[in-house]
Amino acid sequence: WWQHWIEYVNQEQSNNTNDGSSVTEHGDYVGSSSLKRPAVIDNSDLIYDAASEETSIGVEIHDTLLEGRDYVLLPQEVWSQLYSWYGGGPTLERKVIGSGLSQTELAVEVYPLRLQLHVIPKGGRSTLRISKKETIGELHRKACEIFDLNLEQVCIWDYYGRRKHALMNDMDKTLDDANIQMDQDILVEIVNHVNGTTLAGSMTSIQDNGSSQRETTSFLIEPSKSSLSIAGGLSASKGTSRSNTTELPQIPNLASPVRELDNTYGTIGVSTRGATGGLTGLMNLGNTCFMNSAIQCLVHTPEFARYFREDYHQEINWQNPLGMVGELALAFGELLRKLWAPGRAPVAPRSFKAKLARFAPQFTGYNQHDSQELLAFLLDGLHEDLNRVKHKPYMKTRDADGRPDEEVADEYWANHIARNDSIIVDVCQGQYKSTLVCPVCNKVSVTFDPFMYLSLPLQPTITRTMTVTVFTCDGSALPYACTVTVPKQGRCRDLIHALSSACSLKHSEKLLLVEIRNHLIQKFLEDPLIMLSTIKDDDYLAAYKMPKLVKNTKHLQLIHRRREQETNDAQTTSGWKPYGTPLVSSISCDDVITRGDIQLLVHKMLSPMARTESLGQTDISDTSVSIAASDQSRDISSGEACTDSSISNSVNKESTYSEAVALLKLPLQLVDESNACIDLSVGEDKPVRLSSSSTSILVYVDWSQKLLDKYDTHYLENLQEVFNGPPNKKARTEPLSLYTCLEAFLREEPLVPEDMWYCPQCEERRQASKKLDLWRLPEVLVIHLKRFSYSRSIKHNKLETFVNFPIHDFDLTNYVANQITSQRQLYELYALTNHYGGMGSGHYTAHIKLLDENRWYNFDDHQVSPINEEEVKTPHAYVLFYRRVKTAGTSASNGAQSCAGYNHSSSQK
């Protein structure tokens, strides 16, 4: 009606803005019109039955209405005006209530709480609609009004699941704060004023331990004989309470309505001759597609389908404090049986959602949520409800201490099974190896942890080429450029590792990586965790081969300078300017260092570039005056971490080269603590005072033309950029492989600063590197593709990347670190959830393969339709469900399973 009225008053508006057309005070459109005036307002299709207006709860609207599709919300004034023009109805008033953590966000309460009131010992019952923001005191008043009781006569209990949970005696507390849920039971207990006790006496159905008559806990009020309900639908009887089932919209081709009882261990539903089970949809209760898609994937997991259709109540752990006293398992099992019942009538999972909201308040209401987060909660919750271990023993874990991985892994798994043993563990839990390495003391910690699913990043392992010029500090080789391939999202340690292999680094050597800018060392790249993405293609990098294993050393930076002329205001001046690439060596701080020692060390560093025919000529010590080191170069050299390498200050003076250089004094200038320069070409035996605060020593070598005749310095002048190739042709974009995502997940990475590891050897928290390896794979492997990125728990981006995931023969054999397992680890896709749209909204569906039919179906809430296998792969895939392909001789990979409970997980169809 609303849409018709909007079209009616807006028709031809753009063409008739000046023709005098208008809406009269009676709501009539004046002007040329092809649409008739709307009839009276008719809200009858929003409510169950006109007769329900006479009941105590007034007009009842359908439970599956969606705003914008089935109804619109109007301010009181707008409704009153429309009603005065057109009449009709009925009027459906709703309250505006506060919501959110601060209660400042306003929302219309379209569906107030519907509570089932039970009075004892009289045995009466009734249904009440009340806002969740009303107080417990108001609930007392309404209950007394319905049953004609005095306030002093009654005690009211939270009777959720037909068990006394809490006495509701805080009259100012709201029902929302008391965690009262839709369609739950409330017990009204009449008190005997004579002795202060209840008149109920001994009632086995109200035992607080919840162990008596447990088979009836899933029943609510049975409709009277005069009521009629369709499959999975609400009773529409006059003057009677509703059963805990939900109304269906009119859907074509449904079987004739029959009565259905909510029995936990057996369901009477719509029967269609020759129909295949498992093709039942779930009604969307309002942004519940996230829940529907996850439920359908779990329901169609063969092991769960068999387990919950059998008598599983013997395995329910009623006392587990980490569980939901079996209620989540019962609710899920009941819903699964409905979905596997013959017929195609959709099911409205309102009862299941109410229990979900009770135990997981984050899913309360009708906002959109993350289906993977719901899935994680369901798997954990079902595991705790069905945990066969009633009393968890205390298990002390031991460190690996060099023991074989197989022994340690089996020990960890046995400890885990001793405390966690359920159908969920049997089917969905695997084990991975976690290796932590301390970046300071290299302490290695190995643990083996269980996992329920794998969350894989969608960052592809894209590589880049990087060119680094490698220098030796012992005079053994000329500098040379080395180009390596590294991960684009890698770190400095990846670059150093690649360079070490490319330049055949000896075991006794290490590489010191630096960034060069303006012929000076800009910074030392000693932190192995520096992201390579911070290094640009037009940067200049140098790596210096240094001996390792020697401590208490300083870096000696040899900065090259040459005289350059500058013209300013018609005056020409000359000065020494840095040029070329600095050289770096290590010098020991333990011994007394003389000026002659530094001369010999620099000679050794420059020796590969020496023109041997010129060495024997006269001394060319240059007496030029050197300026003091600039503040910039001093800042660069200060504050750097001291390395643990050193080079011997002794030189074999018996060699021909040493005899020649003894005649040659290099014009070296040492920058001291006061930023003044000391001439190292005189006073060969004078000791050099090294700065205790700085980790680097700056030495300038001033290259005069005479000195350049002795050395070929062009090797220092041709430093290559990190990447200086031609622009890449835009390569054909290859889809991201699921294997690539898995490799990125298993790649070694440092822990985030917020998750530092306490190193038992250092006795400090360290940003250790972490490496994961798959060790034991489950029967059903759940893979979550991390499409959403978060900032402070708030989603702020979604990746629409297409992931090429295999449907058949997903081979994980080479990714399992446990080499004792000889069988191939093959998996086949049987279900997945999809997310369409953007952040905070969108829509979830599920693609599921019915294994009996060997056919794929699309589950889009209540609509179920067949699809081709080619349609399964889309950029919207979010959570993938794989099941192990059984081969001859394959055994359960997650270890020996418990024989006390469910033993069907080893057989597959």
Side-chain angles (χ1 to χ4, degrees):
W1 187 95
W2 172 257
Q3 190 61 39
H4 178 70
W5 183 81
I6 291 293
E7 294 173 357
Y8 172 70
V9 297
N10 288 328
Q11 61 183 327
E12 302 178 3
Q13 185 174 3
S14 59
N15 297 327
N16 299 317
T17 54
N18 298 318
D19 66 356
S21 300
S22 63
V23 179
T24 70
E25 62 179 4
H26 301 291
D28 295 330
Y29 180 82
V30 180
S32 57
S33 173
S34 59
L35 288 178
K36 294 182 179 180
R37 183 179 188 273
V40 296
I41 300 172
D42 183 9
N43 283 338
S44 60
D45 56 343
L46 300 181
I47 62 178
Y48 281 115
D49 191 276
S52 65
E53 296 183 44
E54 302 173 13
T55 69
S56 61
I57 59 175
V59 178
E60 276 285 86
I61 65 173
H62 290 294
D63 285 24
T64 57
L65 302 180
L66 287 179
E67 183 182 1
R69 185 192 70 182
D70 302 308
Y71 67 88
V72 291
L73 297 171
L74 300 177
Q76 175 89 34
E77 296 79 4
V78 177
W79 165 260
S80 299
Q81 186 64 60
L82 290 173
Y83 187 78
S84 67
W85 287 343
Y86 301 99
T91 301
L92 304 175
E93 293 184 356
R94 290 298 183 265
K95 291 184 177 181
V96 175
I97 60 174
S99 61
L101 294 176
S102 62
Q103 297 296 311
T104 57
E105 186 178 331
L106 299 180
V108 178
E109 189 178 32
V110 177
Y111 290 99
L113 290 175
R114 181 172 53 212
L115 304 178
Q116 313 292 344
L117 304 183
H118 301 255
V119 61
I120 57 171
K122 294 170 61 175
R125 57 192 179 190
S126 181
T127 302
L128 170 68
R129 279 284 190 183
I130 186 171
S131 170
K132 65 181 180 180
K133 293 301 179 182
E134 290 285 7
T135 63
I136 291 177
E138 180 65 14
L139 175 62
H140 275 71
R141 191 190 66 76
K142 287 182 178 291
C144 291
E145 182 182 313
I146 291 172
F147 295 112
D148 195 19
L149 300 170
N150 295 323
L151 288 173
E152 299 78 12
Q153 287 182 271
V154 300
C155 291
I156 292 187
W157 293 83
D158 179 352
Y159 198 40
Y160 184 86
R162 287 294 190 96
R163 294 175 59 243
K164 285 185 177 180
H165 283 273
L167 180 64
M168 301 173 66
N169 55 4
D170 186 349
M171 298 301 173
D172 296 326
K173 193 174 187 179
T174 67
L175 300 178
D176 191 23
D177 292 336
N179 201 20
I180 302 302
Q181 302 294 320
M182 178 72 75
D183 285 324
Q184 83 156 70
D185 296 306
I186 297 293
L187 184 64
V188 181
E189 197 168 28
I190 301 177
V191 178
N192 183 354
H193 283 285
V194 178
N195 53 17
T197 61
T198 66
L199 298 175
S202 175
M203 297 184 64
T204 57
S205 63
I206 318 174
Q207 292 191 16
D208 290 342
N209 60 11
S211 60
S212 177
Q213 294 190 4
R214 203 171 295 281
E215 288 80 2
T216 64
T217 57
S218 65
F219 286 96
L220 291 180
I221 306 165
E222 182 177 348
S224 65
K225 292 181 181 179
S226 62
S227 68
L228 178 68
S229 64
I230 65 174
L234 278 165
S235 161
S237 63
K238 178 178 179 180
T240 61
S241 301
R242 300 189 186 278
S243 66
N244 188 32
T245 50
T246 38
E247 170 77 7
L248 289 176
Q250 295 300 317
I251 300 176
N253 302 324
L254 287 183
S256 60
V258 297
R259 180 179 169 193
E260 178 185 352
L261 295 180
D262 286 344
N263 189 331
T264 303
Y265 304 117
T267 303
I268 304 171
V270 176
S271 177
T272 305
R273 186 183 303 275
T276 300
L279 293 178
T280 302
L282 287 167
M283 296 300 299
N284 192 320
L285 307 179
N287 283 328
T288 56
C289 56
F290 75 97
M291 180 180 75
N292 293 348
S293 60
I295 287 175
Q296 291 287 14
C297 290
L298 290 180
V299 161
H300 288 85
T301 298
E303 291 82 359
F304 295 156
R306 286 194 295 270
Y307 179 85
F308 284 98
R309 283 189 286 179
E310 295 176 1
D311 189 1
Y312 61 92
H313 70 282
Q314 295 180 357
E315 292 201 340
I316 293 180
N317 193 329
W318 307 103
Q319 290 83 31
N320 189 354
L322 300 178
M324 290 77 176
V325 291
E327 294 186 21
L328 184 65
L330 287 171
F332 180 78
E334 179 181 355
L335 183 58
L336 181 144
R337 291 174 179 226
K338 288 181 180 180
L339 293 176
W340 277 101
R344 300 288 291 272
V347 174
R350 189 170 294 279
S351 176
F352 179 83
K353 188 180 186 305
K355 283 188 171 60
L356 182 68
R358 182 178 183 86
F359 295 110
Q362 65 267 33
F363 298 117
T364 303
Y366 296 92
N367 293 326
Q368 184 67 277
H369 295 279
D370 190 327
S371 69
Q372 188 272 331
E373 293 176 0
L374 172 74
L375 179 67
F377 170 80
L378 282 181
L379 290 174
D380 285 336
L382 290 174
H383 159 65
E384 296 296 350
D385 266 6
L386 299 169
N387 196 348
R388 303 173 187 122
V389 180
K390 301 303 186 282
H391 303 285
K392 295 186 177 185
Y394 172 74
M395 309 299 297
K396 187 175 181 180
T397 58
R398 294 190 301 155
D399 198 43
D401 289 331
R403 292 183 292 158
D405 283 347
E406 294 75 18
E407 176 185 338
V408 180
D410 289 343
E411 179 182 288
Y412 270 85
W413 187 254
N415 291 346
H416 177 66
I417 293 298
R419 294 172 54 85
N420 303 275
D421 185 15
S422 69
I423 178 64
I424 306 298
V425 175
D426 295 344
V427 175
C428 291
Q429 284 200 355
Q431 186 184 34
Y432 57 68
K433 175 185 175 183
S434 175
T435 305
L436 290 169
V437 180
C438 177
V440 177
C441 69
N442 293 321
K443 163 72 176 175
V444 178
S445 174
V446 177
T447 58
F448 291 84
D449 303 308
F451 67 84
M452 194 86 77
Y453 50 86
L454 301 178
S455 290
L456 305 188
L458 298 192
Q459 294 179 345
T461 310
I462 300 175
T463 59
R464 65 182 289 199
T465 58
M466 301 183 72
T467 299
V468 180
T469 304
V470 179
F471 296 84
T472 60
C473 60
D474 60 357
S476 60
L478 286 166
Y480 58 94
C482 185
T483 302
V484 294
T485 301
V486 292
K488 191 173 184 179
Q489 299 298 326
R491 300 178 183 268
C492 269
R493 63 183 173 196
D494 298 316
L495 176 57
I496 292 175
H497 178 74
L499 288 171
S500 300
S501 300
C503 67
S504 303
L505 195 71
K506 298 176 183 177
H507 181 69
S508 59
E509 295 176 322
K510 69 173 187 177
L511 287 177
L512 177 65
L513 191 65
V514 303
E515 179 184 343
I516 306 296
R517 186 175 301 174
N518 297 325
H519 310 291
L520 299 173
I521 293 179
Q522 173 71 14
K523 59 183 174 182
F524 290 88
L525 303 176
E526 293 184 292
D527 184 356
L529 305 182
I530 294 175
M531 295 294 296
L532 293 181
S533 57
T534 62
I535 301 175
K536 306 299 186 289
D537 284 347
D538 57 355
D539 287 343
Y540 295 90
L541 296 184
Y544 303 94
K545 286 186 178 182
M546 317 274 284
K548 59 182 178 180
L549 306 177
V550 182
K551 301 185 182 298
N552 195 19
T553 61
K554 292 182 182 292
H555 294 140
L556 188 148
Q557 299 184 37
L558 184 64
I559 310 298
H560 310 281
R561 298 191 303 188
R562 64 183 174 189
R563 190 180 295 277
E564 293 184 1
Q565 291 185 345
E566 293 183 359
T567 302
N568 292 317
D569 298 330
Q571 293 184 352
T572 301
T573 59
S574 64
W576 294 99
K577 302 292 184 183
Y579 90 108
T581 306
L583 297 178
V584 179
S585 184
S586 292
I587 188 165
S588 174
C589 301
D590 293 330
D591 303 325
V592 176
I593 307 298
T594 65
R595 298 181 183 182
D597 292 332
I598 296 180
Q599 283 277 348
L600 290 173
L601 182 58
V602 173
H603 271 298
K604 192 171 186 179
M605 295 165 66
L606 297 176
S607 61
M609 297 178 291
R611 305 180 196 270
T612 54
E613 68 277 5
S614 303
L615 280 176
Q617 297 182 6
T618 59
D619 177 49
I620 47 174
S621 176
D622 195 37
T623 58
S624 60
V625 179
S626 173
I627 60 172
S630 66
D631 292 338
Q632 178 186 7
S633 62
R634 184 163 182 83
D635 290 340
I636 292 170
S637 67
S638 62
E640 302 294 342
C642 187
T643 60
D644 60 352
S645 60
S646 169
I647 187 168
S648 173
N649 296 319
S650 62
V651 181
N652 184 3
K653 296 184 180 182
E654 297 179 359
S655 65
T656 305
Y657 173 74
S658 297
E659 293 173 355
V661 298
L663 303 175
L664 178 62
K665 299 296 183 182
L666 293 171
L668 304 181
Q669 305 287 332
L670 172 70
V671 181
D672 66 6
E673 288 183 295
S674 61
N675 211 25
C677 289
I678 300 173
D679 187 358
L680 299 181
S681 62
V682 296
E684 179 180 351
D685 297 327
K686 286 186 178 182
V688 175
R689 187 162 175 256
L690 302 179
S691 170
S692 58
S693 59
S694 176
T695 58
S696 293
I697 304 168
L698 259 64
V699 175
Y700 290 116
V701 55
D702 295 332
W703 293 91
S704 63
Q705 187 57 50
K706 292 182 179 180
L707 188 58
L708 288 173
D709 292 337
K710 307 299 179 184
Y711 291 91
D712 186 0
T713 60
H714 83 274
Y715 297 104
L716 304 175
E717 301 171 18
N718 297 324
L719 194 65
Q720 294 191 24
E721 293 180 345
V722 169
F723 181 78
N724 193 22
N728 284 334
K729 292 182 180 178
K730 194 155 186 180
R732 183 169 56 92
T733 304
E734 295 291 340
L736 180 61
S737 166
L738 185 61
Y739 291 106
T740 304
C741 298
L742 181 60
E743 290 163 4
F745 173 75
L746 298 176
R747 188 170 59 232
E748 182 179 4
E749 287 192 347
L751 297 174
V752 294
E754 298 80 19
D755 193 22
M756 303 257 273
W757 172 63
Y758 181 80
C759 175
Q761 193 160 292
C762 296
E763 297 185 345
E764 288 187 32
R765 304 195 75 83
R766 302 293 191 191
Q767 192 177 7
S769 61
K770 184 174 183 178
K771 173 73 170 70
L772 293 179
D773 292 291
L774 299 178
W775 187 266
R776 197 184 307 260
L777 295 179
E779 293 299 303
V780 169
L781 180 63
V782 181
I783 295 179
H784 164 224
L785 302 178
K786 295 172 70 173
R787 293 197 177 277
F788 299 109
S789 57
Y790 294 82
S791 176
R792 296 183 179 179
S793 301
I794 300 175
K795 294 180 184 176
H796 63 81
N797 188 30
K798 182 193 175 185
L799 298 174
E800 299 284 356
T801 309
F802 175 76
V803 179
N804 186 17
F805 52 89
I807 297 177
H808 306 283
D809 296 332
F810 182 34
D811 193 351
L812 296 176
T813 307
N814 295 331
Y815 295 93
V816 178
N818 184 4
Q819 298 302 321
I820 293 182
T821 304
S822 58
Q823 292 87 6
R824 292 185 66 190
Q825 306 290 321
L826 288 179
Y827 284 82
E828 179 181 9
L829 186 75
Y830 71 91
L832 69 152
T833 64
N834 304 291
H835 180 267
Y836 301 86
M839 305 296 300
S841 59
H843 181 59
Y844 286 96
T845 67
H847 292 337
I848 295 171
K849 183 178 184 180
L850 254 62
L851 300 179
D852 290 340
E853 295 185 15
N854 194 31
R855 188 173 186 181
W856 284 90
Y857 288 86
N858 178 46
F859 286 73
D860 186 354
D861 289 330
H862 67 278
Q863 297 180 339
V864 181
S865 56
I867 59 173
N868 296 322
E869 189 173 278
E870 296 76 23
E871 301 175 65
V872 171
K873 291 186 182 183
T874 71
H876 312 293
Y878 187 41
V879 181
L880 309 174
F881 290 75
Y882 284 93
R883 62 195 301 265
R884 183 187 297 278
V885 176
K886 293 296 181 180
T887 57
T890 301
S891 59
S893 66
N894 58 355
Q897 305 295 344
S898 170
C899 298
Y902 179 72
N903 289 321
H904 300 297
S905 62
S906 60
S907 62
Q908 304 271 6
K909 289 184 179 180

